[in-house]
Amino acid sequence: MIRVLLVHDACLVRSVLADWLRRQPGLEVHDASWRSAPVRLRAVRPTVCAADLDCSDAYGIPPLGDLCAREAGRPAARLLVLAGSHRPGLLKRAAEAGALGYVDKEGSPENLVRGIRRVAEGKRFVDDSLGFGFLKAAEMPLTRRELSVLSLAAEGASVAEIAGSLHLSHGTVRNYMAAITRKTGARNRIDAIRISQGEGWL
């Protein structure tokens, strides 16, 4: 039996998808929002954590590290993400977090089941339709930390709020913003956000 934790912030979508997955043989399915996922993870101890990369909390930055955390005496859940090729920044985050599975949200539910079964075996699963997104992710000039800073800035967070959220000094945040502006070829912070959103990095 493969124990699955489905993480999705849209309650209706999550409920319908979880109910459909429960009808598939060999799957024991639990579900949670991103906010409640860490607690459910400890209670359920899933084999596979299937997580939607669109997160309504944390300024839209999915806290993937919370899903991959190891605890003494048990292996970490294997991570599969539901993604789209138009958001290469999120694909890059998932890859850096060690995700084994990548399922296109525009694809069929059967693909999700295939992905879950493959990831449960410790094997990689990548939807062919996400190939372009991975190519874009490879070309992305921003680091994970720079993406985090820019994501917060795009939501309107001040330097002080970004510093508090990411546990950085104000000067370090300003240095990151200067590097982001330079790397994106932007004129200023607003232009860097516009360029990055246009490229799908945010």
Side-chain angles (χ1 to χ4, degrees), residues 5 7 34 37-38 41 46 49-52 63-70 76-81:
L5 178 63
V7 181
W34 272 103
L41 192 73
C49 194
D52 177 44
L64 293 168
D66 293 348
L67 303 183
C68 302
R70 291 182 177 276
R78 293 176 175 135
L79 180 61
L80 175 146
V81 296

Side-chain angles (χ1 to χ4, degrees), residues 11 21 32 47-48 53 59 92 110 116 126 129-130 149 177:
C11 183
L21 287 171
T47 312
V48 176
L53 285 182
Y59 296 96
K92 184 173 184 177
E110 287 80 8
I116 288 170
V126 181
S129 54
L130 294 177
V149 168
M177 287 306 308

Side-chain angles (χ1 to χ4, degrees), residues 83-86 91 102-108 111 126-134:
S85 61
H86 63 289
L91 286 173
Y102 302 83
V103 174
D104 190 344
K105 293 200 292 187
E106 301 297 320
S108 70
N111 248 15
V126 181
D127 259 343
D128 292 340
S129 54
L130 294 177
F132 180 71
F134 277 105

Side-chain angles (χ1 to χ4, degrees), residues 16 53 59 173 199:
V16 171
L53 285 182
Y59 296 96
V173 172
E199 291 288 341

Side-chain angles (χ1 to χ4, degrees), residues 145-158:
R145 181 59 90 184
E146 288 165 351
L147 279 172
S148 296
V149 168
L150 193 59
S151 295
L152 293 168
E155 293 292 332
S158 66

Side-chain angles (χ1 to χ4, degrees), residues 2-200:
I2 300 170
R3 191 176 293 125
V4 179
L5 178 63
L6 175 67
V7 181
H8 202 300
D9 272 345
C11 183
L12 179 61
V13 174
R14 184 177 74 242
S15 298
V16 171
L17 188 53
D19 284 344
W20 186 85
L21 287 171
R22 288 185 185 110
R23 294 197 291 271
Q24 308 309 306
L27 299 184
E28 176 190 323
V29 181
H30 305 263
D31 62 277
S33 65
W34 272 103
R35 186 182 295 275
S36 62
V39 173
R40 292 288 287 149
L41 192 73
R42 289 191 292 273
V44 172
R45 298 191 172 192
T47 312
V48 176
C49 194
D52 177 44
L53 285 182
D54 287 320
C55 172
S56 63
D57 290 335
Y59 296 96
I61 305 168
L64 293 168
D66 293 348
L67 303 183
C68 302
R70 291 182 177 276
E71 288 186 13
R74 74 174 182 90
R78 293 176 175 135
L79 180 61
L80 175 146
V81 296
L82 307 175
S85 61
H86 63 289
R87 300 285 302 278
L90 292 179
L91 286 173
K92 184 173 184 177
R93 285 178 190 276
E96 289 172 344
L100 276 180
Y102 302 83
V103 174
D104 190 344
K105 293 200 292 187
E106 301 297 320
S108 70
E110 287 80 8
N111 248 15
L112 175 57
V113 175
R114 280 194 290 274
I116 288 170
R117 295 193 193 286
R118 191 158 179 85
V119 168
E121 295 172 354
K123 297 174 182 173
R124 186 169 296 279
F125 180 90
V126 181
D127 259 343
D128 292 340
S129 54
L130 294 177
F132 180 71
F134 277 105
L135 285 175
K136 294 282 286 181
E139 296 169 355
M140 190 166 51
L142 304 180
T143 66
R144 180 169 55 175
R145 181 59 90 184
E146 288 165 351
L147 279 172
S148 296
V149 168
L150 193 59
S151 295
L152 293 168
E155 293 292 332
S158 66
V159 168
E161 289 169 333
I162 295 171
S165 179
L166 299 178
H167 310 291
L168 300 170
S169 71
H170 292 195
T172 300
V173 172
R174 289 190 192 93
N175 289 342
Y176 276 127
M177 287 306 308
I180 290 164
T181 303
R182 185 183 71 253
K183 287 182 177 182
T184 57
R187 296 185 302 276
N188 52 41
R189 167 177 166 159
I190 302 301
D191 196 31
I193 292 168
R194 180 189 60 78
I195 290 168
S196 297
Q197 287 175 335
E199 291 288 341

